[in-house]
Amino acid sequence: MGDGKKLSSLDASFLYLETPEMPMHVGSMAIFRLPDDYQGDFFEAFKAMIASRLHLAPILKARLEKAPLDIDHPSWVEDDQFDIDRHIFRASLPEPRDRATLERIVGWMHAKLLNRARPLWEFYVFEGMKDNEVGLYSKMHHACIDGGAGAALTNMIYDMTPVPRQVDPPAARAKAEQEPRDIAANLLDAYTQLWNQPLDPAIAKGIELPRSGKSDLGSILFDNAMYQIESAVRFAGSIPAMLRSVTDVVGKISDPAARESIASMASPPTILNKSISSERSFAGASISLSRAKALAKLAGGKLNDVVLALASGVVRRYLLQHGALPKKSMTAAVPISLREEGNTETNNQVFGMICAIATNIEDPRERLTAIIAQSTKSKEMAHPLRAFMPQVSNISMLGAPILVQILALLYSRSSLSDVLPPTANITVSNVPGPRQTLYAAGAELLHIFPVSISTHGIALNITVQSYRDQLDFGFIAGANIIPHVQVLCDMLPEEFELLEQAFAPERQSAAG
């Protein structure tokens, strides 16, 4: 990454929105089991294995380089002082050295900001757990990775057999000598970026005017003019596609049924939708993937609908216990991956929708049926906007880093999320993972619980990753809102059983 790859607007936004109370990194709590006859030092073996494979994921050796005066998005550049001992640590776990203790420590550690002077990731290895288990807490800034890229990174680092595979060393390459550039040249680059928004790659293909290839001021001005001409052609060519998307949205909104659907997606205020502190509460739980898929098939929905129903069930039960369940259905912010199959780029390729999760319905069967209908409507409403996202994610605006960071800090300090209507009540994300068993340095991977992001106004995040024949749920919340999120995890198995019973074939036969 020595060429200085500039962050997209979407990737950079996770940097600008970050505050001490709202870190913007994602991670996981993985649980491994060592063989009974394991000999050696797992921490050192794991660190050596990662060190030998860093070239498979160049983002792991890339640090941020700010634009002059912070007028434009930063770039990823190779860290010439990279030291793996600043990224992989041997951590200690106090008695009783069980998963519950590990979860509490992970919640505490996930609230700590990453050091932006170094590549934005850290691994912590917890040895000496019960049943020959080893815990691995990892975190990486959301500016360089999303859930889909994280799953791809997992496949790059881990092995499918207990014996680590041999990885070819990186090819030798000459270090590029970069010509020093002054502030004026960088300012012009930022100005060029503003006018050179790649709105439609299909339109842009084949449009390339000549460049001087020089770095003097006159040549830079000439190149900038060429960029602006190309940008105008690209923009004009993309207008029909943009108008079609807008027309689709307007057409859906003009439909009375669609307007009713939009109204149903308005989020009621709840005790979960407040400003969060700089502390986190984390816990994990697992259910059977094959059983969840079978339930989705019986209900006529998708796996994601079952995940939403389970989230709805536990949140509904929790708020009932606190006498705080709203009469109106709560909503979930649901990320949608735009990543094409086989795409392993470590960047953010994600969109999102708001879906009502039927917390106002007591019967589990009726609740899941309502969620299936609501998620279908939400996908239909969101679909026309998907085409905008790759374009919007690359838009630059001069001064955006400073402006957005100031606004994020003001929002955080003003506690506006305590009084503004919530955009959604909770976040629920479902990330597909590997079905085969994975290993690291000879240890078998048992679970990989996601550890995601809590935000002001949406304190609870429930992220799920599939692995083998299980769904690993990671619950994280602002500790001032839900001090012990483990209580929600404890509700998950029973909620799953209630849903299965509600759609059991014998019950359907009896009802028929």
Side-chain angles (χ1 to χ4, degrees):
M1 287 202 171
D3 56 345
K5 179 183 177 183
K6 185 173 292 186
L7 277 71
S8 71
S9 293
L10 179 58
D11 290 346
S13 68
F14 290 105
L15 296 172
Y16 308 151
L17 294 174
E18 187 169 65
T19 66
E21 297 80 20
M22 204 166 69
M24 285 288 160
H25 48 251
V26 293
S28 67
M29 185 189 80
I31 304 295
F32 295 91
R33 178 176 290 136
L34 293 169
D36 293 336
D37 57 351
Y38 185 84
Q39 300 291 324
D41 187 324
F42 176 78
F43 170 77
E44 292 296 343
F46 177 80
K47 185 173 69 171
M49 182 195 73
I50 298 300
S52 70
R53 300 179 182 183
L54 286 172
H55 59 287
L56 299 181
I59 193 69
L60 297 180
K61 293 185 71 174
R63 64 171 177 82
L64 290 170
E65 184 175 82
K66 287 186 174 183
L69 307 180
D70 241 358
I71 62 166
D72 198 10
H73 303 321
S75 300
W76 293 116
V77 297
E78 187 171 347
D79 184 4
D80 55 5
Q81 296 183 344
F82 178 82
D83 182 355
I84 198 168
D85 289 321
R86 293 183 175 183
H87 295 274
I88 302 182
F89 306 96
R90 193 194 300 266
S92 60
L93 189 66
E95 293 291 348
R97 295 185 177 181
D98 56 5
R99 291 191 193 179
T101 306
L102 178 60
E103 288 170 350
R104 288 195 296 272
I105 291 178
V106 165
W108 176 78
M109 296 176 75
H110 203 65
K112 310 304 176 186
L113 296 172
L114 286 162
N115 185 349
R116 294 196 184 182
R118 300 198 291 263
L120 298 179
W121 64 278
E122 292 175 351
F123 288 172
Y124 294 84
V125 178
F126 295 84
E127 298 168 290
M129 294 178 65
K130 293 181 177 180
D131 302 321
N132 226 24
E133 291 182 353
V134 174
L136 172 66
Y137 166 59
S138 62
K139 63 179 176 180
M140 179 175 285
H141 206 285
H142 213 322
C144 53
I145 197 165
D146 64 13
L153 193 64
T154 296
N155 285 327
M156 292 168 67
I157 292 175
Y158 296 122
D159 295 297
M160 290 188 288
T161 67
V163 179
R165 69 188 188 277
Q166 293 297 314
V167 174
D168 292 334
R173 60 182 179 87
K175 188 173 181 62
E177 294 294 333
Q178 295 188 358
E179 187 176 340
R181 308 197 64 195
D182 57 22
I183 290 180
N186 282 293
L187 285 170
L188 282 168
D189 273 356
Y191 179 67
T192 294
Q193 182 69 18
L194 176 65
W195 287 98
N196 187 40
Q197 311 298 345
L199 292 174
D200 191 334
I203 297 297
K205 187 178 181 180
I207 302 173
E208 185 172 353
L209 296 179
R211 301 285 191 273
S212 67
K214 299 177 182 178
S215 59
D216 60 278
L217 186 58
S219 297
I220 291 172
L221 287 171
F222 172 79
D223 289 347
N224 182 53
M226 296 299 100
Y227 271 123
Q228 291 189 47
I229 294 172
E230 288 180 13
S231 178
V233 175
R234 291 171 180 168
F235 182 81
S238 67
I239 287 176
M242 294 172 67
L243 287 176
R244 284 195 297 272
S245 294
V246 172
T247 301
D248 287 345
V249 173
V250 172
K252 290 182 180 294
I253 293 176
S254 63
D255 183 353
R259 288 201 299 269
E260 183 180 341
S261 178
I262 291 173
S264 71
M265 288 186 282
S267 309
T270 76
I271 60 174
L272 304 180
N273 305 117
K274 305 292 182 182
S275 298
I276 58 175
S277 68
S278 58
E279 295 181 308
R280 295 293 179 270
S281 172
F282 173 77
S286 299
I287 64 170
S288 165
L289 174 60
S290 56
R291 285 168 56 190
K293 285 185 171 181
L295 173 59
K297 185 176 181 180
L298 284 172
K302 305 291 185 182
L303 178 63
N304 202 54
D305 298 320
V306 173
V307 170
L308 285 172
L310 290 170
S312 173
V314 298
V315 169
R316 183 180 189 278
R317 184 181 298 200
Y318 178 81
L319 293 183
L320 276 173
Q321 290 180 356
H322 289 75
L325 181 68
K327 293 181 179 180
K328 180 177 169 48
S329 171
M330 295 172 63
T331 65
V334 183
I336 302 171
S337 177
L338 300 177
R339 189 174 299 275
E340 298 291 341
E341 186 174 354
N343 185 321
T344 59
E345 293 179 18
T346 47
N347 63 354
N348 286 277
Q349 300 180 39
V350 68
F351 183 48
M353 69 178 188
I354 305 296
C355 181
I357 55 174
T359 49
N360 57 332
I361 299 176
E362 181 178 0
D363 183 81
R365 182 187 180 94
E366 294 179 10
R367 192 185 314 137
L368 177 51
T369 301
I371 286 172
I372 292 171
Q374 287 291 339
S375 66
T376 301
K377 291 179 182 177
S378 296
K379 290 172 186 175
E380 289 175 353
M381 292 299 300
H383 184 75
L385 299 175
R386 290 173 65 111
F388 278 125
M389 296 313 297
Q391 301 167 2
V392 171
S393 67
N394 287 314
I395 291 177
S396 292
M397 183 178 70
L398 292 182
I402 297 174
L403 176 62
V404 178
Q405 288 175 81
I406 290 174
L407 291 176
L409 196 59
L410 286 174
Y411 180 72
S412 179
R413 296 292 185 267
S414 64
S415 299
L416 279 173
S417 54
D418 290 340
V419 296
L420 292 177
T423 55
N425 296 116
I426 62 175
T427 299
V428 181
S429 182
N430 180 20
V431 180
R435 297 298 305 273
Q436 72 275 19
T437 298
L438 297 180
Y439 300 85
E444 178 188 357
L445 178 63
L446 302 180
H447 296 278
I448 183 162
F449 299 102
V451 189
S452 197
I453 296 173
S454 298
T455 65
H456 291 304
I458 309 179
L460 175 63
N461 183 306
I462 303 173
T463 300
V464 186
Q465 178 159 337
S466 58
Y467 171 59
R468 298 199 289 199
D469 188 34
Q470 66 203 31
L471 287 173
D472 289 333
F473 283 69
F475 290 70
I476 191 162
N480 63 315
I481 305 298
I482 306 180
H484 303 289
V485 78
Q486 180 64 49
V487 297
L488 278 80
C489 277
D490 293 341
M491 299 172 183
L492 187 69
E494 186 175 347
E495 284 296 326
F496 187 38
E497 289 179 7
L498 288 173
L499 276 174
E500 286 188 309
Q501 292 169 11
F503 284 90
E506 56 268 24
R507 173 173 172 173
Q508 289 181 323
S509 299

